[in-house]
Amino acid sequence: MVAGSRPTSCRNYRCWIERLNHITESKTLKFALEKTTEDMEQQIIRETFHLVSKRDENVCNFLEGGLLIGGSDNKLIYRHYATLYFVFCVDSSESELGILDLIQVFVETLDKCFENVCELDLIFHVDKVHNILAEMVMGGMVLETNMNEIITQVDAQNKMEKSEAGIAGAPARAVSAVKNMNLPEIPRNINIGDISIKVPNLPSFK
Amino acid sequence: MALKMVKGSIDRIFDKNLQDLVRGVRSHREDEAKYISSCIDEIKQELKQDNIAVKANAVCKLTYLQMLGYDISWAAFNIVEVMSSSKFTYKRIGYLAASQCFHDGTDVIMLTTNQIRKDLSSPNQYDTGVALTGLSCFVTPDLARDLANDIMTLMSHTKPYIRKKAVLIMYKVFLKYPESLRPAFPRLKEKLDDPDPGVQSAAVNVICELARRNPRNYLSLAPLFFKLMTSSTNNWVLIKIIKLFGALTPLEPRLGKKLIEPLTNLIHSTSAMSLLYECVNTVIAVLISLSSGMPNHSASIQLCVQKLRILIEDSDQNLKYLGLLAMSKILKTHPKSVQSHKDLVLQCLDDKDESIRLRALDLLYGMVSKKNLMEIVKKLMVHVDKAEGTTYRDELLTKIIDICSQSNYQYITNFEWYISILVELTRLEGTRHGHLIASQMLDVAVRVKAIRGFAVVQMATLLDNTTLLAGSGQHKSICEVLYAAAWICGEFSEHLEDPVHTLEAMLRPKVATLPGHIQAIYIQNAAKLFAAVLNGQQGTPDCQTMQESSQLLIDRLPLFVQSADLEVQERASCILQLVKFIQKLQHKEVEVGEEVTALFAGELNPVAPKAQKKVPVPDGLDLDAWINEPPSESESEDEKPVAVFAEEELRHARPHHTEVDEKELARRREARKQEQANNPFYIKASPTSQKGYQDSTGVEHIPVVQIDLSVPLKVPGMSTSDKYLKLEEERRQRERKERGKKEKKKKKKREKRSGMGRRHDSGPESEEDIAPAHMVDIVTEEMPENALSSDDDEKDPNDPYRALDVDLDKLGTGNPQRPLADSEKLPVRAHRPTNILKSPADDGEVQEVPKEPKKKSKKEKRDKEEERKKSKEEKQRRKHHHEARKGPEGGPPTGEPIQSSYNAELEPALPTAAPVEASDPDFWLSSTLLSSKSQETTEATPGPIPEKAADVGPGSEPENTKSSKHKKKKQKKDKEKEEKKRKKQHGHSGDREGEESVQNGTLEEEPLPPMSNYSLLAENSYVKMVCDIQGNLQNGSQVVVSIIFENKSTSFLKSMEFNVLDSLNSKLQRPEGSGPHDGLTVPFQLPPGVSNEARFIFSVQSIVMPQRLKGTLTFIVKADDSSTHEKLDFKLHFTCSSYLITTPCYSDTFAKLLESADLKGTSVRLQEVSLPFHHLLAKICFHHHFSVVERIDSCASLYSRSIQGHHVCLLVKYAHQTVTIDAKCDESSLLGNVLEEIKKTFSQS
């Protein structure tokens, strides 16, 4: 069971965290049974980030999280792409290598959906990232692993959203386009944040 | 109105959207909090507007803020508003926000029930999908109860997208509302056969998750999963199933045997590392469950270890990590095979990756032996010095202690070395495990008598050493060591060289900075030391030392009398007064030494930590009744410390004795001595029993062996552990020499003595046997004779998964215990859990109704029984507790090991728990591998055996037929000799397995003929092919052909290529890019005598006619010197039966089906069939993939469905060796062909 998955990214020692999934699996995280306070979540994220970020490039992608993530049954599994960390917290019912592949699928899907995903995409479109993740992981359990299927569903939903917005949505879109255009910050950042996602071949896994 | 709309939409343009917010937060890094609070104000304004778009935008922003860690629960109601918008765009935003911030305590969730229900039944699949996704995050028990029924319905939605989400969310529903598990389970099980792979995988996911928590209830699904495992190609599903099997095998060893072969094949054939790894893992689990007496599995272990070694040697750190992880599992049962890879493990210890080092550490635990313990620990000590980061260092520390102390210090040959190691470990700064070291010190000092002298010297040095004291402020934990040190010095003060000096060290003013409980120990033990000093000086004319030390105490103690800690204060003042009194006596020159010593007289004996708890209360003993007279105060005081003693582990509790007021203590000691003297079971500490081995049976503690003084005992000052390594080496060499000499002597002796029975000297010569320098008082095994095992009931009562521990085997049609009708509704909102049982009546299924009360009462009974059991247990537990409290401190002094009585206790409990569940897989497991399908055929009915399934039709009593008698007998047998039967079956299935690899269709035996669908395809001198043809469950136009290739020759077969000439109707599915006439490579090679299975998929257009396809297998035969190209022609026969899929059908649905006019009927008559009816049915079910719907006497209705959805219904009647089959189907040519095939089956036999 995937307990919570939050890709995190970091720049300038300031932790930028897009937390993608609420700590949905209440059983693996003890405190989630009671009210999970925002503070607690933040603490988990901080600590996770602390753990993950200090790891070298060539070490294994598994971390025994300790008490914070709910005991010895749980593991942190992460992948690191340029400035982004994708961290999943899973319990022993998931295959470790399987989850690594799942992260790969997730990133590839993001890449397809955003057309060359970069860090800023994820930061500015948290909601979309959430929606994509919702097609893959549901309530802490892996829902779909087939990338094409995921993309089909995400696209269909986006199409629906567009058709609903219709003409009324047009001015809003125009304004936001203008807003984006006027800001010099964007292009600069893209250079920094642009990640070249290497897509290693994993022929073994479907 | 219109104007307002327009205005709203224009306003919206200039509202901040999510992107603006993100941008704003990023540009206000310095004053983020301020910026966000202004944003929240804006959002609050937006939420007040009527325009839903504005609200949605606000909620969207809130979701983002929530992710940054701001509380947004105040907006919960607005979120609900947005959720209920009719537009998908807003709905999605609402549900996302809800999934982020709603939890069990959010009260507005109550308002959402109807909205969610509406969304679930929305015609738009994405509305439903979004609702399901949201619900999966915030489902509460109430929501689960109210919506369970709706979700159940969605499980059979037409869209696979919805189906898979509905299936997956059921797990959440089960968790929150366990009562829904039973009614929903049959449908969930159906979904395992769903045509959509996503839905199937979701169902597997949910069942695996359920089974992981309560595997026993899902054992009966093993055949189904086994089939899935051998037919699925989806790696995700495979991994899940294989993981599930890993959880099931410990419960059913026979399952393991069945699994080994396919798993081994998978290991050989798969290229997916993840799958390989899981296979290895499960094989390990299997091997663990089989660990006893299966010599021929050493190959499997070898295979696993080999594969793991490859993983560990891989440059990919992930694989390395996992390899080590799996290795540690093998270690537990097969340490030998892992030990050979010690080099690898030690190498991993130097890895730069901490996770890997930790895993390697785990492995080390099992690698140690008496020989290499010192080396390994030395290596670890080096790591301790090098380690940066306290977590890893602490881990190292605990591992060192674990390794050394495992199984009663089994591997420690020299305890002086161990004490030195412990002392060295105290030098670690900032460790959290001070109390661990302390408890080890105490344990060793108490239990290893011979080491006390050395330990005391070391501890005195520790006390003298001020570094620990100095650091006590920051490093709270490490000063715990001083607690142990002070206690050891005090308790065993007779070994001290300079007690006065140590006394001085213990009363330094700095001690006052230590935590209270340690100070208390200091003071108490200072008193003990003082007593020792007095006693030591007794009789010497010079009494100056005595007076000096009294003065010292009188000078220093007032500091502690002022302590803020109550315990310290009390003890200090008490002892101060005592010493003052003694001083007075000293001035009068009265000899007080003995009296003072008497305060602390008596010896501590180690007792097993659980010994007290496990003494059962004898019959007729009421522990609550007063034995003598109403309580006096001193007695109630008395009880308190003893209760502490019983509850905590003894090791920690031991020092607590000294906390009691010392007079009281002395009084109790006296009492205890009295009691021991009167207790016939207590072995008195007579001088003889201390010295040598006495052959009395009830030896309380194994007497300490006199140390062979090859190691000089006296080590000056702080010793380092390294020298022990050298000493050990030397000692070993010396011993080897001596042994060499002895051996010669012994040989002679033995020759003389041969035939005189036991050889006493054979022991010491075993390879690992190194005579330990000290012996441990082995006490953990020491238990009273008839003690009970109390470990089993230590389950956590709060475990949320316990509620899901539901027996699911009794689900299904036709069973007399059947609790639920298939169409039974889950409780809708108004229903309470207790009402569930009534609902079948609503269905109007009259025949079901009378069974309900029966079932209910049964359930009630069971509940009651459980309750009774529980209360009993509790009583017992309470009793134990009392016993423990009252029992004498010295512990029940019987030396009998407890194990035997454990088993005796547990044995009778087994059959009551097991029988029903066990019976299912029983059949499957003991029957042949391939007939698992016949189990399949009847899966809808509860019985595993066809005839049993037939029996339980509503009209018939089980006693009617032979088979049931047979079964009854079997059951009786079961009860009579469970144990025996098990063993027998082991052997039995083992025999069968041998035959499995061969074709076993010919094997006929009276009660149930083993059947196989594998038929001979072709054979020559090199290779034999048997095949099974099955419709694909997931795809209506696919047929899966499983072919077992068996190498009959003595040479190696490789490059096998399988090719079939396609017909218009049927085509072999080839990988993309290959031509229509290309062959398929068989994905394995065959060493001599080996068989393996491969699957080929054919696409079929029409299924109404049987077909024959011509094919060729080409292969290279590789002999020692030459290789030749060979080929084998064959004809694949697709019968119409192979297009049928065993599908369960309920009798009501079956009746409706027959009534409908779409089915065309025909009938056939078979003459002179001499088989018993149940055989006949089993045969039809098995070979032609039917399932029995109902059976009455010698008449039965059967059902099956083709892969393209044709219904086939049969009515089979049997009279006077004539079978009449009336059949109906919506495709008459298909039916004709199936009947033809059935006819053929019986004409053959």
Side-chain angles (χ1 to χ4, degrees), chain B residues 552-625:
Chain B
L552 180 77
L553 277 167
I554 291 171
D555 289 347
R556 299 278 175 85
L557 278 176
L559 174 70
F560 298 102
V561 175
Q562 292 158 12
S563 166
D565 192 286
L566 212 61
E567 186 74 35
V568 179
Q569 201 188 83
E570 199 179 339
R571 291 186 187 211
S573 65
C574 180
I575 288 168
L576 183 61
Q577 292 313 315
L578 188 72
V579 174
K580 278 184 181 161
F581 180 64
I582 291 168
Q583 199 181 32
K584 260 187 219 159
L585 290 176
Q586 277 173 342
H587 286 311
K588 288 181 198 161
E589 298 196 351
V590 181
E591 297 260 307
V592 286
E594 252 169 59
E595 280 87 344
V596 180
T597 321
L599 283 175
F600 307 106
E603 202 193 348
L604 280 173
N605 286 315
V607 179
K610 288 178 181 168
Q612 292 267 318
K613 262 201 257 177
K614 299 200 171 183
V615 187
V617 181
D619 284 339
L621 175 60
D622 182 5
L623 288 171
D624 291 330

Side-chain angles (χ1 to χ4, degrees), chain A residues 178-191:
Chain A
V178 170
K179 276 182 193 163
N180 282 348
M181 219 154 44
N182 285 344
L183 281 169
E185 183 196 6
I186 297 290
R188 239 193 300 133
N189 268 347
I190 285 174
N191 291 340

Side-chain angles (χ1 to χ4, degrees), chain B residues 936-1141:
Chain B
E936 252 289 317
T937 59
T938 55
E939 56 157 302
T941 51
I945 322 172
E947 56 263 58
K948 188 188 163 197
D951 284 343
V952 291
S956 68
E957 281 300 306
E959 280 80 17
N960 282 357
T961 56
K962 271 188 215 164
S963 61
S964 66
K965 269 181 201 161
H966 177 75
K967 216 193 118 216
K968 253 190 137 185
K969 240 190 240 165
K970 211 170 147 198
Q971 270 181 346
K972 218 172 162 189
K973 240 190 219 164
D974 278 4
K975 276 177 200 162
E976 276 171 13
K977 25 187 179 177
E978 257 266 321
E979 193 73 36
K980 242 183 189 175
K981 196 196 128 208
R982 279 247 164 109
K983 271 182 205 161
K984 237 186 191 169
Q985 280 200 345
H986 271 249
H988 202 48
S989 61
D991 292 347
R992 288 277 185 81
E993 242 175 15
E995 290 154 6
E996 268 162 31
S997 52
V998 200
Q999 192 192 3
N1000 46 14
T1002 50
L1003 217 81
E1004 293 270 321
E1005 116 190 344
E1006 183 39 33
L1008 189 97
M1011 289 173 281
S1012 165
N1013 256 2
Y1014 281 74
S1015 56
L1016 185 65
L1017 190 62
E1019 186 174 12
N1020 65 10
S1021 55
Y1022 296 106
V1023 71
K1024 177 173 159 184
M1025 295 161 74
V1026 289
C1027 77
D1028 172 35
I1029 304 168
Q1030 291 268 319
N1032 190 338
L1033 299 166
Q1034 290 149 28
N1035 192 331
S1037 58
Q1038 277 188 1
V1039 174
V1040 180
V1041 179
S1042 319
I1043 301 183
I1044 298 176
F1045 298 91
E1046 188 193 348
N1047 185 350
K1048 292 167 66 189
S1049 66
T1050 52
S1051 0
F1052 206 83
L1053 300 188
K1054 54 183 232 175
S1055 309
M1056 292 194 281
E1057 231 180 63
F1058 177 88
N1059 201 359
V1060 171
L1061 260 177
D1062 293 346
S1063 73
L1064 273 179
N1065 191 26
S1066 316
K1067 289 186 174 62
L1068 175 63
Q1069 285 199 348
R1070 299 175 166 90
E1072 276 175 50
S1074 54
H1077 304 296
D1078 293 350
L1080 280 181
T1081 319
V1082 180
F1084 47 78
Q1085 303 177 339
L1086 285 180
V1090 172
S1091 60
N1092 203 342
E1093 186 170 357
R1095 278 186 194 76
F1096 302 95
I1097 296 173
F1098 288 81
S1099 56
V1100 181
Q1101 279 177 346
S1102 158
I1103 59 160
V1104 297
M1105 296 286 283
Q1107 313 226 7
R1108 274 174 201 278
L1109 290 182
K1110 273 189 190 170
T1112 324
L1113 180 78
T1114 57
F1115 52 92
I1116 294 172
V1117 181
K1118 198 167 181 230
D1120 289 336
D1121 42 357
S1122 65
S1123 57
T1124 53
H1125 221 90
E1126 297 286 342
K1127 72 170 197 174
L1128 175 61
D1129 290 328
F1130 56 84
K1131 265 186 192 166
L1132 261 177
H1133 188 194
F1134 290 166
T1135 58
C1136 280
S1137 302
S1138 55
Y1139 300 132
L1140 296 183
I1141 293 173

Side-chain angles (χ1 to χ4, degrees), chain B residues 361-416:
Chain B
L361 269 183
D362 282 349
L363 276 174
L364 266 188
Y365 185 82
M367 300 260 162
V368 288
S369 65
K370 283 181 182 170
K371 271 183 200 152
N372 61 17
L373 177 72
M374 285 186 176
E375 273 169 65
I376 287 180
V377 171
K378 189 186 167 200
K379 196 157 176 171
L380 291 181
M381 291 300 280
V382 174
H383 276 278
V384 169
D385 288 339
K386 282 194 297 189
E388 72 261 343
T390 49
T391 5
Y392 179 58
R393 210 175 48 186
D394 280 355
E395 190 62 31
L396 276 168
L397 190 152
T398 42
K399 271 284 133 50
I400 290 176
I401 289 180
D402 272 359
I403 288 174
C404 292
S405 62
Q406 67 174 310
S407 36
N408 265 318
Y409 308 101
Q410 189 191 345
Y411 298 117
I412 295 186
T413 51
N414 187 333
F415 278 95
E416 286 180 24

